[in-house]
C-alpha cells in the first residue's frame, strides 16, 4: 500500500523508497525485473527506470537521493503509467533469455545486455504474445548483441601481459604496489552502524548510513584482519596461511581458477573479461592491466571503498548461517540469509552424512556446505571485482541485491554439483 504522505512542503522522501513503493503497485508480471523482496532490481533502476521512464536529466525533480514531497505523486504516476510496457519488457526478457540459452550464449550479463533492448521491443510490439514472429525477433536480438560485442579478445589480453617487452615494466609496477606498508591504521570499525544498516538494507536501504560507513573507511579498516595468520584462508579467499603478491601469470582457465587472492593478474582480468564484462566499456588493455595491479594491493584487493564496505557487510551478514544465531527481526538481512540457507534440503542432507560416508562426494563440496561463508565471500568478491571492472558503483540500494543474489548463486551451484555427483553414482 502507498504510504500516507504529509502534505507539508519542504519534506522529502528517499528516492529509492518512493520507487520501491510505486513498483509494488505494479502487477506480478514485472517479477522478472524484481528482486526477492519485490523491489526493482538495481539494474532495472539503472538501465530501465532511470534512463527510459523517469529520465532525471530531463526531469531534475526526480534526480538526487530524495524526492520533494510535491513531486512524489508525479514520480509514482510515471512508473504506474509505464506498468504495461514494463510488464511487456519482462516478458520479452524471459523469452530472450530462453533464446540465449538455446543458442549456447554464455558471455556477458543478460540484464546488462538485454534489458534496454527488451524495453525497445515492448514499445514496438507490446508483449511477445502480441507480436508477429516473436521467436524470430528474440533470436535476432541475441545474435545482434553477440556480433556487436567489443573487439578486444582474450588472446590480446594474454598477449599483452606475456609480451617480453612488457613483462619487466609490469613486474616493476607490481612490486612497487606491494612494497608499501599494507597495514591500514585509519578507518573505524563502526559495529553499530554496520548492524543498523543490515537491519534495514533489505527493505529500506539507508543511504546516509551507507555513506557514513564509506566515509569512515570501514571496509579498509576491517581488511586489517586479512594480514593475520590463516584469516584470508578462513574467509575462503586464499588457500594459503599468508597472502602473497600475485604473479603476472601466463595462462588462465575458467574451470580452474584459484581463490581470489591466489589469482594471477591475468586470471583476475580474464575471469571478468570472459564472464560478465562489457568489453566495449572497459579501458584499453594496457590500462586494464595496470588498474588490476594496483587493485591487487588494495584493501580486500579491491579498489573502491564502497566495494570494501560491501565485503564487510557480507562477512557480517553470513557469520551465523549455520547456527541458530541471535534473535533478529524478520526483515534483517542476516535473518533473511540465514533462513534461506537453512531452508535448503540438500544442506541438511550433506550435514547428516558422517565424514567421508558418501563415496564420490567431493570433499570441496562437503567443506563448502559445512562452511558456507567461505564460498559466499569468494563469490561476493568476484561480483564486486566485476562491478569495479565494469565501472559500476556500489550504492546502498544495491547492497541487498548483492548479498541475496550471491547466496542464491552459491545455493544453485552447490545444489547442481550435488545433483551431478549423485547422478554419476547411480
Amino acid at each position: 500500500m502507498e504510504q500516507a504522505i504529509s502534505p507539508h512542503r519542504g519534506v522529502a522522501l528517499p528516492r529509492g523508497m518512493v520507487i520501491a513503493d510505486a513498483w509494488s503497485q505494479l502487477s506480478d508480471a514485472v517479477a522478472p525485473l524484481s528482486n526477492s523482496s519485490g523491489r526493482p532490481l538495481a539494474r532495472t533502476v539503472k538501465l530501465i527506470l532511470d534512463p527510459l521512464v523517469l529520465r532525471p536529466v530531463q526531469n531534475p525533480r526526480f534526480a538526487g537521493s530524495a524526492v520533494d514531497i510535491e513531486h512524489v505523486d508525479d514520480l509514482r504516476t510515471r512508473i504506474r503509467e509505464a506498468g504495461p510496457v514494463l510488464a511487456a519488457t519482462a516478458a520479452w526478457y524471459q523469452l530472450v533469455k530462453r533464446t540465449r540459452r538455446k543458442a549456447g550464449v554464455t558471455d556477458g550479463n543478460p540484464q546488462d545486455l538485454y534489458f534496454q533492448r527488451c524495453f525497445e521491443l515492448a514499445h514496438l510490439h507490446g508483449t511477445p504474445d502480441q507480436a508477429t514472429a516473436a521467436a524470430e525477433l528474440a533470436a535476432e536480438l541475441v545474435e545482434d548483441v553477440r556480433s556487436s560485442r567489443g573487439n578486444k579478445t582474450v588472446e590480446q589480453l594474454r598477449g599483452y601481459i606475456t609480451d617480453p617487452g612488457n613483462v619487466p615494466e609490469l613486474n616493476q609496477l607490481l612490486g612497487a604496489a606491494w612494497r608499501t606498508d599494507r597495514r591500514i591504521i585509519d578507518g573505524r570499525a563502526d559495529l553499530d552502524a554496520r548492524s543498523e544498516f543490515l537491519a534495514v538494507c533489505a527493505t529500506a536501504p539507508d543511504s546516509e548510513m551507507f555513506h557514513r560507513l564509506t566515509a569512515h573507511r570501514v571496509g579498509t579498516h576491517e581488511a586489517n584482519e586479512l594480514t593475520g595468520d590463516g584469516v584470508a584462508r578462513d574467509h575462503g579467499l586464499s588457500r594459503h596461511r599468508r597472502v602473497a603478491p600475485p604473479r603476472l601469470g601466463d595462462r588462465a582457465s575458467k574451470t580452474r581458477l584459484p581463490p581470489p587472492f591466489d589469482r594471477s593478474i591475468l586470471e583476475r582480468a580474464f575471469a571478468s573479461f570472459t564472464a560478465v564484462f562489457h568489453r566495449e566499456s572497459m579501458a584499453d588493455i594496457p590500462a586494464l592491466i595496470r588498474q588490476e595491479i594496483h587493485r591487487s594491493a588494495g584493501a580486500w584487493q579491491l579498489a573502491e571503498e564502497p566495494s570494501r564496505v560491501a565485503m564487510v557487510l557480507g562477512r557480517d551478514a553470513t557469520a551465523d548461517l549455520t547456527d541458530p544465531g541471535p534473535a533478529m527481526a524478520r526483515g534483517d538481512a542476516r535473518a533473511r540469509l540465514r533462513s534461506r540457507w537453512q531452508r535448503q534440503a540438500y544442506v541438511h542432507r550433506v550435514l547428516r552424512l558422517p565424514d567421508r560416508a558418501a563415496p564420490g562426494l567431493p570433499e570441496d563440496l562437503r567443506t563448502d556446505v559445512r562452511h558456507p561463508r567461505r564460498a559466499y565471500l569468494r563469490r561476493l568478491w568476484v561480483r564486486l571485482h566485476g562491478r569495479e571492472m565494469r565501472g559500476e558503483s556500489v550504492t546502498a540500494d544495491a547492497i541487498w541485491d548483492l548479498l541475496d543474489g550471491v547466496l542464491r548463486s552459491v545455493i544453485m551451484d552447490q545444489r547442481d554439483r550435488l545433483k551431478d555427483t549423485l547422478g554419476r553414482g547411480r
Side-chain angles (χ1 to χ4, degrees):
M1 293 180 62
E2 294 190 2
Q3 292 186 352
I5 303 296
S6 168
H8 299 298
R9 294 183 62 85
V11 177
L13 293 178
R15 183 174 186 268
M17 184 183 77
V18 177
I19 290 175
D21 182 61
W23 188 265
S24 70
Q25 310 303 315
L26 303 181
S27 71
D28 292 340
V30 299
L33 308 179
S34 309
N35 63 20
S36 60
S37 301
R39 299 166 63 92
L41 291 164
R43 282 187 173 89
T44 299
V45 176
K46 177 182 177 181
L47 299 174
I48 298 177
L49 292 181
D50 272 349
L52 304 175
V53 177
L54 299 176
R55 300 185 178 183
V57 174
Q58 298 175 11
N59 300 289
R61 62 191 183 280
F62 298 151
S65 60
V67 179
D68 289 341
I69 197 68
E70 59 265 31
H71 302 312
V72 165
D73 286 343
D74 192 10
L75 187 150
R76 285 176 170 155
T77 299
R78 290 272 181 143
I79 293 178
R80 183 174 63 251
E81 291 179 346
V85 74
L86 291 169
T89 300
W92 278 109
Y93 179 62
Q94 293 293 81
L95 175 59
V96 168
K97 280 205 305 181
R98 292 194 297 270
T99 305
R100 165 191 165 95
R101 285 194 296 269
K102 186 176 180 181
V105 177
T106 59
D107 193 25
N109 185 296
Q111 296 172 3
D112 288 332
L113 296 177
Y114 307 128
F115 265 9
Q116 293 187 342
R117 298 291 295 272
C118 288
F119 188 86
E120 178 182 338
L121 286 175
H123 257 295
L124 292 174
H125 303 286
T127 67
D129 291 341
Q130 297 169 330
T132 302
E136 288 80 359
L137 288 170
E140 289 175 6
L141 190 159
V142 170
E143 180 55 33
D144 183 46
V145 170
R146 176 163 58 178
S147 64
S148 66
R149 298 297 298 276
N151 60 5
K152 300 180 181 70
T153 68
V154 173
E155 284 307 313
Q156 289 174 328
L157 183 69
R158 183 182 290 108
Y160 177 81
I161 206 170
T162 59
D163 186 330
N166 297 328
V167 168
E169 179 190 1
L170 295 178
N171 272 323
Q172 185 177 16
L173 287 173
L174 186 59
W178 278 75
R179 270 196 300 273
T180 57
D181 187 348
R182 303 184 69 247
R183 293 173 299 169
I184 309 298
I185 59 175
D186 63 346
R188 306 182 191 176
D190 265 356
L191 288 170
D192 290 343
R194 282 150 48 188
S195 182
E196 290 172 20
F197 183 82
L198 286 172
V200 300
C201 70
T203 53
D206 189 329
S207 297
E208 290 186 6
M209 186 69 70
F210 188 73
H211 176 73
R212 170 181 162 182
L213 293 171
T214 301
H216 288 177
R217 303 192 72 195
V218 168
T220 297
H221 178 273
E222 291 297 293
N224 282 321
E225 69 171 10
L226 297 173
T227 63
D229 189 34
V231 175
R233 185 182 63 185
D234 291 342
H235 280 18
L237 300 173
S238 174
R239 294 194 183 109
H240 307 295
R241 296 187 65 85
R242 292 283 184 180
V243 177
R247 299 176 299 105
L248 289 178
D250 56 10
R251 60 177 58 87
S253 169
K254 284 184 69 175
T255 60
R256 293 189 297 274
L257 284 173
F261 289 2
D262 301 340
R263 295 179 184 181
S264 69
I265 298 299
L266 175 59
E267 286 172 324
R268 294 166 193 239
F270 169 82
S272 292
F273 189 91
T274 59
V276 296
F277 195 58
H278 269 278
R279 297 176 189 177
E280 67 272 18
S281 67
M282 75 179 186
D284 58 42
I285 286 176
L288 177 76
I289 295 304
R290 283 165 171 75
Q291 290 168 3
E292 197 57 46
I293 285 172
H294 289 291
R295 182 183 288 113
S296 76
W300 293 97
Q301 301 199 15
L302 294 168
E304 305 293 337
E305 189 62 26
S307 301
R308 298 166 182 171
V309 170
M311 283 298 299
V312 173
L313 293 171
R315 183 199 64 186
D316 292 353
T318 54
D320 300 311
L321 283 183
T322 58
D323 301 317
M328 293 177 183
R330 290 180 62 188
D332 190 292
R334 291 158 291 192
R336 284 174 176 243
L337 295 178
R338 184 193 307 148
S339 174
R340 182 181 300 285
W341 175 256
Q342 295 183 357
R343 289 199 308 267
Q344 304 306 313
Y346 83 90
V347 171
H348 298 286
R349 181 176 185 179
V350 171
L351 294 179
R352 283 196 300 267
L353 294 172
D355 287 344
R356 309 188 185 282
L361 184 64
E363 189 59 31
D364 62 339
L365 175 57
R366 184 196 303 274
T367 299
D368 280 351
V369 174
R370 292 180 180 275
H371 305 284
R373 189 161 70 158
R374 297 176 185 174
Y376 183 91
L377 291 177
R378 281 198 301 271
R379 193 153 305 204
L380 178 59
W381 186 92
V382 169
R383 294 273 179 98
L384 292 165
H385 176 260
R387 290 179 75 103
E388 288 195 351
M389 292 189 73
R390 294 191 299 273
E392 295 181 6
S393 60
V394 177
T395 63
D397 288 344
I399 290 294
W400 173 244
D401 284 346
L402 270 170
L403 299 185
D404 187 48
V406 167
L407 186 59
R408 286 171 175 265
S409 180
V410 167
I411 287 170
M412 287 189 291
D413 176 65
Q414 292 183 354
R415 188 187 292 147
D416 289 346
R417 288 165 62 196
L418 181 61
K419 186 183 300 182
D420 289 346
T421 298
L422 296 179
R424 288 195 300 270
R426 288 173 183 164

